[in-house]
Amino acid sequence: MGKTVFMPIILDEQNAVSITELLNSIKSDGINWSLKTNCKLDNILIRGISSLSSASFYDVSFFINNKYRKDLLSSNAGVVIVHENLYTEQINRDLKKIKCFIVSDNPYLLYSKIATWFDKIKSSGNDNLSYIDSSSHISPTADIAEGVRIGPFCVIGSNVKIGEGSIIEASSIISSGSIIGKNCKLFPRVTLYKDVLIGDNNILHTGVVLGADGFGYAIDKRNSNVSWSKIPQLGSVIIGNNVEIGANTTVDRGSLDNTLIENGVKIDNQVMIGHNVSIGEHTAIAACVGIAGSTFIGKRCTIGGAAMISGHLHISDDVHISGGTTIISNIIKSGKYTGIYPFSRHIEWQRNAPVISHLANLRRKIKFS
Amino acid sequence: MGKTVFMPIILDEQNAVSITELLNSIKSDGINWSLKTNCKLDNILIRGISSLSSASFYDVSFFINNKYRKDLLSSNAGVVIVHENLYTEQINRDLKKIKCFIVSDNPYLLYSKIATWFDKIKSSGNDNLSYIDSSSHISPTADIAEGVRIGPFCVIGSNVKIGEGSIIEASSIISSGSIIGKNCKLFPRVTLYKDVLIGDNNILHTGVVLGADGFGYAIDKRNSNVSWSKIPQLGSVIIGNNVEIGANTTVDRGSLDNTLIENGVKIDNQVMIGHNVSIGEHTAIAACVGIAGSTFIGKRCTIGGAAMISGHLHISDDVHISGGTTIISNIIKSGKYTGIYPFSRHIEWQRNAPVISHLANLRRKIKFS
Amino acid sequence: MGKTVFMPIILDEQNAVSITELLNSIKSDGINWSLKTNCKLDNILIRGISSLSSASFYDVSFFINNKYRKDLLSSNAGVVIVHENLYTEQINRDLKKIKCFIVSDNPYLLYSKIATWFDKIKSSGNDNLSYIDSSSHISPTADIAEGVRIGPFCVIGSNVKIGEGSIIEASSIISSGSIIGKNCKLFPRVTLYKDVLIGDNNILHTGVVLGADGFGYAIDKRNSNVSWSKIPQLGSVIIGNNVEIGANTTVDRGSLDNTLIENGVKIDNQVMIGHNVSIGEHTAIAACVGIAGSTFIGKRCTIGGAAMISGHLHISDDVHISGGTTIISNIIKSGKYTGIYPFSRHIEWQRNAPVISHLANLRRKIKFS
């Protein structure tokens, strides 16, 4: 399986574009690049984009990670975008199959621009929503801008506002008082609880839940009984512009103030963001991360998959947390932080792990020796 | 962003209540509190509830964590509930802006009661469900009590019972044979598989899945082939009263016996509870926790976010597990348990972590030195 | 609670089967087993299957884990399947209540076969879907095989294909171009994004999302501004046959190539599989696992709950990763791998954990001593 399934070439033969046409069609301002080729540029025809190992003669591909050198050597790609640090004239000489290299200081960004160009062509054939589906329940007090498209089985509550160009796919629920900006895309089955505010150009994937109650209870001990008294969550969730939130991610509403996600934040699948958390601009959060209540996270941070961050902490700007790391105190200085127990063969772990429980004693012995 | 968004004052001017009216309206039995003020009590008018930093002159706020002392000092709140241990006459003298302190032995519980009072007022204006939506599919054999409200696009299977006062919001699916008690609230898109039993006064948030198949397979090795033979999950899920379950949390059905969640248990978002787990009364489980199959957890435990508990374990009553901790053996004694690899700057982690793999050897050297 | 709730006996008195009838009805080829009893086989009547502690005189139960010895000793089960290593003649003599032991080299597999037999009987009474519900929206270009059943409020996009015998339960969304093989069962509220391919005999549980966008952005630094440029995810998800995927699990589509899940893979709840991951045949993945992008996992692996695997790694065949372990480098050799910080009483953790940050120094001291 797998090996035999290739992505289709996206353009058919008569619609192939030359590499120069392609590069002129994309917005590459701010990216430095140059072409290295022995061919006439008009003869380098492109019909798709592909990984090194799957690429055909008519595909653009990219090489930015030395781990994939083997794939480069055996690749059938016609054109390869390559990082200037990985490119040498040697490569050009050795890899005769590859008609052309595009050497760049930001090959990944260049690739993203080319992929976006192909994605638009590919998507143009889809059965896109073109209207508001009559099966959906839309409150008469909802304010839906011109051109908004709403799929089947949606529920749009009272006083909801949805801005121009936004698309709400099937089975989404936008509860009363929520506001969605312009040009947002909600994939099927997104849920907004009441009074959630999201800005423009946001992408929310299936299963996203914004504004569920934060986890707040006051302990009630009386006559030796213990129980939990629910604290109503009176705040909401406010999300800026250009934010993307992955499948089955949840962002809880604030208890009194709001949970805030600022412009340009990118959040992967199955992330959990607790009540009253604040996340600064352009921070990126990988899958399975949990951020407990009232924690403040600065701008331009990256948080690796499955990292867990305790509540009531302050994480400064430009902090990079490795995947799998548990953060239990403030981080004041920018930089990279890690805390992962190194894995080993189980039998070695069985020998070494119990020593952890005696480290303080061991240290004392050493100090006195 | 964020900073400029304040929660609205909830009562308008003519509906403001005096602090005495407010305190008389809530059920504060069992909580000790006293008022410290130089003002006439009838002149202390309240219109809302807010955090220290967002509060206005007409808001009640609370101060229970010394971390937020700075917020207290700059707060515009009219009234502040404060823990008796944090209150001194000094505070009263210094903070002249604050008209009144409510000094209590359980300020958080008192706050929860006041917040509940405001929540009821705030919610009364919502477009609440008032009937069974005609778009929902309800089996003729379902037994729906008087006054039950069901939102659009729900599916209610055969022989389902739903008790008085329960609310099932949009797009929820209650499969055949399931029973829901009285006064439950299911937010949109909750799914109960067949034969799930839940008691009274439960709150289930969006994306909750109760009763999906537990993860059970018997290995089938034959002629050097290995495959997995699915074990049907013949048990179910039984949930008591006063339980709250957070968004996108899943509780699997038992393989033979049932998965049990007892009265008063509180579960946050994205928690996973495996088949045949049993969770005792008033245990609270924070987000992203996983509890593997057949583990028994006692009463009044707290489990911190992203803690992971192996299968077939026995955790006693009154055990408190720190967030991020992995539990792989029974816990017999009550108390607090932790096991988190301490994070550090990445460069330090790179130096220290590899030593873990040699700890047993190091210990031997020390013992013989 | 709990203790008083027993599973019903599945067959009523007149439909009880003898143990020989039962064993003849199931497919137990490849499993060695023998009966140990002093009773006449025709007199051993069976009406259900149950755990040791809940079993009645008419139930089959099983004993495969010495942890549950106490349950065996007090069990009321009529028949107990037992592993040949745990069975002695002594047991037969001592446990007179138990009419019959079935001694086997694979008792768990035998139990799974018997449980399946009972499950079929139990399920036959359910209100099963028998047609395509008229409330669902089905594209005129969708190709739905004979006998396919589709529940209410589903959305089936253009050019979708669904094979014979497949069941799509309520509120599922199958986006345009997706293909579902034969005899698949989709529980309610499964979502397939466009162009997802799944084979035959697959089971997908509620909340599963296949084919959401992978988490891919190119960093765009310009004039000291940093932002993220979305990389379109042009690949898809391809799933083989006999795969089961648990509730609220997400599998992202590939960026250029496809994300691949091969035949016989079993995946539990709330697992996150990143873009371009490849998972080999008959690998089993427990709940809350995260696998980051482009990682390759071999055949017949087992991955314990909440294990986290970094991106771009290669994990060989027959690797077994313990729950809670973080994998950050390739694993070349088969075998068992673990990396869990051992938990302890909090007060001990507070003493020992800080030493971790000085391990490199400690080692140096010891070497020089």
Side-chain angles (χ1 to χ4, degrees):
Chain A
M1 220 185 87
K3 294 292 172 195
T4 59
V5 180
F6 294 108
M7 291 309 301
I9 289 181
I10 291 167
L11 303 175
D12 49 24
E13 206 172 336
Q14 55 272 47
N15 290 318
V17 294
S18 78
I19 185 68
T20 32
E21 279 179 89
L22 177 58
L23 288 166
N24 288 334
S25 309
I26 62 166
K27 293 181 199 160
S28 67
D29 45 306
I31 312 172
N32 292 313
W33 55 267
S34 62
L35 293 169
K36 305 280 181 180
T37 182
N38 298 319
C39 303
K40 194 156 165 278
L41 285 173
D42 288 351
N43 291 347
I44 303 175
L45 294 177
I46 302 297
R47 294 166 55 193
I49 184 162
S50 204
S51 69
L52 286 169
S53 59
S54 301
S56 82
F57 195 66
Y58 291 105
D59 282 332
V60 176
S61 191
F62 69 100
F63 173 58
I64 58 171
N65 184 339
N66 235 332
K67 251 188 180 169
Y68 294 95
R69 191 164 199 92
K70 254 171 76 178
D71 289 345
L72 175 68
L73 299 178
S74 62
S75 180
N76 293 315
V79 175
V80 174
I81 314 170
V82 59
H83 195 285
E84 54 191 18
N85 297 341
L86 294 172
Y87 180 81
T88 62
E89 287 297 329
Q90 185 72 21
I91 277 187
N92 201 0
R93 266 195 300 276
D94 288 359
L95 297 174
K96 298 218 170 129
K97 267 193 300 195
I98 294 167
K99 289 173 286 186
C100 174
F101 285 94
I102 308 176
V103 182
S104 172
D105 60 343
N106 198 340
Y108 203 50
L109 185 57
L110 193 61
Y111 149 60
S112 86
K113 303 294 183 187
I114 294 174
T116 302
W117 189 86
F118 278 105
D119 188 39
K120 277 188 188 147
I121 289 173
K122 202 182 172 191
S123 303
S124 66
N126 281 6
D127 54 347
N128 288 315
L129 290 168
S130 54
Y131 53 89
I132 295 177
D133 194 282
S134 62
S135 67
S136 285
H137 286 213
I138 296 174
S139 163
T141 62
D143 173 2
I144 315 286
E146 199 107 341
V148 165
R149 290 166 282 168
I150 299 178
F153 310 128
C154 291
V155 181
I156 312 289
S158 60
N159 301 310
V160 164
K161 288 182 191 171
I162 303 179
E164 276 173 46
S166 284
I167 301 174
I168 315 291
E169 293 203 350
S171 295
S172 287
I173 292 162
I174 314 299
S175 302
S176 61
S178 285
I179 298 177
I180 295 174
K182 297 177 187 172
N183 299 315
C184 289
K185 164 114 184 203
L186 277 63
F187 279 91
R189 289 209 292 108
V190 168
T191 303
L192 271 61
Y193 279 53
K194 63 177 182 177
D195 298 330
V196 170
L197 270 60
I198 73 172
D200 301 333
N201 303 315
N202 293 310
I203 301 172
L204 307 182
H205 285 276
T206 293
V208 163
V209 183
L210 302 183
D213 285 351
F215 196 62
Y217 305 89
I219 201 160
D220 189 357
K221 291 187 193 185
R222 226 179 285 189
N223 318 322
S224 87
N225 282 330
V226 169
S227 68
W228 300 101
S229 171
K230 181 174 173 69
I231 293 171
Q233 303 292 301
L234 300 168
S236 188
V237 173
I238 298 179
I239 290 178
N241 306 320
N242 302 311
V243 170
E244 182 162 4
I245 302 184
N248 285 352
T249 282
T250 56
V251 182
D252 277 354
R253 69 192 313 111
S255 49
L256 290 172
D257 294 328
N258 300 303
T259 306
L260 298 173
I261 296 180
E262 303 217 344
N263 295 336
V265 168
K266 308 297 180 187
I267 303 177
D268 199 354
N269 296 6
Q270 297 196 37
V271 170
M272 162 56 187
I273 296 181
H275 53 176
N276 298 105
V277 165
S278 175
I279 299 178
E281 286 184 8
H282 304 301
T283 283
I285 302 175
C288 304
V289 164
I291 303 176
S294 300
T295 280
F296 173 96
I297 296 189
K299 300 179 201 294
R300 298 174 305 273
C301 295
T302 58
I303 305 179
M308 293 292 161
I309 304 183
S310 294
H312 297 274
L313 298 183
H314 188 286
I315 310 295
S316 299
D317 295 346
D318 300 300
V319 165
H320 304 284
I321 296 172
S322 297
T325 296
T326 302
I327 301 296
I328 55 170
S329 57
N330 295 335
I331 299 182
I332 308 301
K333 279 192 186 174
S334 67
K336 188 175 180 185
Y337 294 84
T338 306
I340 307 163
Y341 192 99
F343 79 95
S344 62
R345 294 191 75 95
H346 183 72
I347 201 170
E348 291 171 27
W349 175 80
Q350 282 179 307
R351 274 200 304 265
N352 291 309
V355 184
I356 299 277
S357 314
H358 304 285
L359 278 181
N361 282 337
L362 282 189
R363 182 170 58 174
R364 203 171 312 118
K365 279 196 187 183
I366 295 168
K367 286 196 169 153
F368 285 102
S369 75
Chain B
M1 220 185 88
K3 295 291 172 195
T4 60
V5 180
F6 294 108
M7 291 307 301
I9 289 180
I10 291 167
L11 302 176
D12 49 25
E13 206 171 336
Q14 56 272 48
N15 291 319
V17 294
S18 77
I19 185 69
T20 32
E21 279 178 90
L22 177 59
L23 288 166
N24 288 335
S25 309
I26 63 167
K27 293 180 199 161
S28 66
D29 45 305
I31 311 173
N32 291 314
W33 56 267
S34 62
L35 294 169
K36 305 280 181 181
T37 182
N38 298 320
C39 303
K40 195 156 165 280
L41 286 172
D42 287 353
N43 291 345
I44 304 175
L45 295 177
I46 303 297
R47 294 165 56 191
I49 185 163
S50 205
S51 69
L52 287 170
S53 59
S54 301
S56 81
F57 196 64
Y58 291 104
D59 282 333
V60 177
S61 191
F62 67 101
F63 173 57
I64 57 171
N65 184 340
N66 236 331
K67 250 188 182 170
Y68 294 96
R69 189 163 200 93
K70 254 170 75 178
D71 290 344
L72 176 67
L73 298 179
S74 61
S75 180
N76 294 316
V79 176
V80 174
I81 314 169
V82 59
H83 196 283
E84 55 191 17
N85 297 342
L86 294 173
Y87 179 80
T88 62
E89 287 298 328
Q90 184 72 24
I91 277 188
N92 201 358
R93 264 195 302 277
D94 288 359
L95 298 174
K96 297 217 170 129
K97 267 193 302 194
I98 293 166
K99 290 172 285 186
C100 173
F101 284 94
I102 309 175
V103 181
S104 172
D105 61 342
N106 197 339
Y108 202 50
L109 186 57
L110 193 61
Y111 149 59
S112 87
K113 302 295 185 188
I114 295 173
T116 302
W117 189 86
F118 277 105
D119 188 39
K120 276 187 189 148
I121 288 173
K122 201 183 173 191
S123 304
S124 65
N126 281 8
D127 55 346
N128 288 315
L129 290 168
S130 56
Y131 52 89
I132 296 178
D133 194 283
S134 62
S135 67
S136 286
H137 285 212
I138 296 173
S139 163
T141 63
D143 174 1
I144 314 286
E146 198 107 341
V148 166
R149 290 167 282 169
I150 299 177
F153 311 127
C154 291
V155 181
I156 313 288
S158 60
N159 302 311
V160 164
K161 287 182 192 172
I162 304 179
E164 277 173 46
S166 284
I167 300 173
I168 314 292
E169 293 203 350
S171 295
S172 286
I173 292 162
I174 315 298
S175 302
S176 61
S178 285
I179 296 176
I180 295 174
K182 297 177 187 171
N183 300 315
C184 290
K185 164 115 185 201
L186 277 64
F187 279 91
R189 289 210 291 109
V190 168
T191 303
L192 272 60
Y193 278 53
K194 64 178 181 178
D195 297 330
V196 170
L197 271 60
I198 74 171
D200 302 333
N201 305 313
N202 293 310
I203 301 171
L204 307 182
H205 285 276
T206 294
V208 163
V209 183
L210 302 182
D213 285 351
F215 196 63
Y217 305 89
I219 200 160
D220 189 356
K221 293 186 193 187
R222 226 178 286 191
N223 316 324
S224 87
N225 282 330
V226 168
S227 67
W228 299 100
S229 172
K230 180 174 173 69
I231 293 171
Q233 303 293 300
L234 299 167
S236 188
V237 173
I238 297 179
I239 290 179
N241 306 320
N242 304 310
V243 171
E244 182 162 4
I245 302 183
N248 285 353
T249 281
T250 56
V251 182
D252 277 354
R253 68 194 311 113
S255 50
L256 290 171
D257 295 329
N258 300 304
T259 305
L260 297 172
I261 296 181
E262 302 217 345
N263 296 334
V265 168
K266 308 297 179 187
I267 303 176
D268 200 354
N269 296 7
Q270 297 197 37
V271 170
M272 161 57 187
I273 296 182
H275 52 177
N276 298 106
V277 165
S278 175
I279 299 178
E281 285 183 10
H282 305 300
T283 283
I285 302 175
C288 304
V289 164
I291 303 176
S294 299
T295 280
F296 173 95
I297 297 190
K299 300 179 202 294
R300 299 174 303 275
C301 295
T302 58
I303 305 179
M308 294 291 160
I309 305 183
S310 294
H312 297 274
L313 298 182
H314 188 287
I315 310 295
S316 298
D317 296 345
D318 301 299
V319 165
H320 305 285
I321 296 172
S322 298
T325 296
T326 302
I327 301 295
I328 55 171
S329 57
N330 294 336
I331 299 182
I332 307 302
K333 279 192 184 172
S334 67
K336 188 174 180 186
Y337 294 84
T338 306
I340 307 163
Y341 192 99
F343 78 96
S344 61
R345 294 191 75 96
H346 183 72
I347 201 170
E348 292 171 27
W349 175 80
Q350 281 179 307
R351 275 200 302 266
N352 291 309
V355 184
I356 300 277
S357 314
H358 304 285
L359 279 181
N361 282 338
L362 283 189
R363 180 170 59 175
R364 204 171 313 118
K365 279 196 186 181
I366 295 168
K367 286 195 170 154
F368 285 102
S369 76
Chain C
M1 220 186 90
K3 295 291 171 194
T4 61
V5 180
F6 294 108
M7 291 307 303
I9 290 181
I10 291 167
L11 302 175
D12 49 24
E13 206 171 338
Q14 56 272 45
N15 290 319
V17 293
S18 78
I19 186 67
T20 32
E21 280 178 273
L22 177 58
L23 288 166
N24 287 336
S25 309
I26 63 166
K27 293 180 199 159
S28 65
D29 45 306
I31 311 171
N32 291 314
W33 55 268
S34 62
L35 294 168
K36 304 283 181 180
T37 182
N38 299 319
C39 303
K40 195 154 165 281
L41 285 173
D42 287 353
N43 291 345
I44 302 175
L45 294 177
I46 301 297
R47 294 166 55 193
I49 185 162
S50 205
S51 70
L52 286 169
S53 59
S54 302
S56 82
F57 196 65
Y58 292 105
D59 282 333
V60 176
S61 190
F62 67 101
F63 174 58
I64 58 171
N65 184 339
N66 237 332
K67 251 188 180 168
Y68 294 96
R69 191 162 199 94
K70 253 170 76 178
D71 289 345
L72 176 69
L73 298 178
S74 61
S75 180
N76 293 317
V79 175
V80 174
I81 314 169
V82 60
H83 195 283
E84 56 190 18
N85 296 342
L86 294 173
Y87 179 82
T88 62
E89 286 298 329
Q90 185 71 23
I91 276 187
N92 201 0
R93 266 195 301 275
D94 289 359
L95 297 174
K96 297 216 170 132
K97 267 193 301 194
I98 293 166
K99 288 173 287 185
C100 174
F101 284 94
I102 308 175
V103 181
S104 173
D105 60 342
N106 197 340
Y108 202 51
L109 185 58
L110 193 60
Y111 149 61
S112 86
K113 303 293 184 188
I114 294 174
T116 301
W117 188 86
F118 277 105
D119 187 40
K120 276 186 190 151
I121 289 172
K122 202 183 172 191
S123 304
S124 66
N126 280 7
D127 54 348
N128 288 315
L129 290 168
S130 54
Y131 53 89
I132 295 176
D133 193 281
S134 62
S135 67
S136 286
H137 286 212
I138 296 174
S139 162
T141 63
D143 174 1
I144 314 287
E146 198 107 342
V148 166
R149 290 166 285 168
I150 298 177
F153 310 128
C154 291
V155 181
I156 312 290
S158 61
N159 301 311
V160 164
K161 288 183 191 171
I162 304 179
E164 276 173 46
S166 285
I167 300 173
I168 314 291
E169 293 204 351
S171 296
S172 287
I173 292 162
I174 315 299
S175 302
S176 61
S178 285
I179 298 177
I180 295 174
K182 297 177 188 172
N183 299 315
C184 289
K185 165 114 185 203
L186 276 64
F187 280 91
R189 289 210 290 110
V190 168
T191 303
L192 272 61
Y193 279 53
K194 63 178 182 176
D195 297 329
V196 169
L197 271 60
I198 74 172
D200 301 334
N201 304 313
N202 294 310
I203 301 172
L204 306 182
H205 285 277
T206 294
V208 163
V209 183
L210 303 182
D213 285 351
F215 196 62
Y217 305 89
I219 200 160
D220 189 356
K221 292 187 194 186
R222 225 180 286 189
N223 316 325
S224 88
N225 283 329
V226 169
S227 68
W228 299 100
S229 171
K230 181 173 172 70
I231 294 171
Q233 303 292 302
L234 300 168
S236 188
V237 173
I238 298 179
I239 291 179
N241 306 320
N242 303 309
V243 170
E244 182 163 4
I245 302 183
N248 286 352
T249 281
T250 56
V251 182
D252 277 354
R253 69 192 313 111
S255 50
L256 290 171
D257 294 328
N258 300 303
T259 305
L260 296 173
I261 296 181
E262 303 216 344
N263 296 335
V265 169
K266 308 297 180 187
I267 303 177
D268 200 353
N269 296 5
Q270 297 195 36
V271 171
M272 162 58 188
I273 296 181
H275 53 176
N276 298 106
V277 165
S278 174
I279 299 179
E281 285 184 8
H282 306 299
T283 283
I285 301 175
C288 305
V289 164
I291 303 176
S294 300
T295 280
F296 174 96
I297 297 190
K299 301 179 200 295
R300 299 173 304 274
C301 295
T302 59
I303 304 179
M308 293 292 160
I309 305 182
S310 294
H312 296 275
L313 298 182
H314 188 288
I315 311 295
S316 298
D317 296 345
D318 301 299
V319 165
H320 304 284
I321 296 172
S322 297
T325 296
T326 303
I327 301 295
I328 54 170
S329 56
N330 294 336
I331 299 183
I332 307 302
K333 278 193 187 173
S334 67
K336 188 176 180 184
Y337 293 84
T338 305
I340 307 164
Y341 192 100
F343 78 96
S344 61
R345 295 191 75 96
H346 183 72
I347 201 170
E348 292 171 26
W349 175 81
Q350 282 180 307
R351 274 200 303 267
N352 291 309
V355 184
I356 300 278
S357 315
H358 304 285
L359 279 180
N361 282 338
L362 283 188
R363 181 169 58 174
R364 205 171 312 120
K365 278 195 188 182
I366 295 169
K367 286 194 170 157
F368 285 102
S369 75

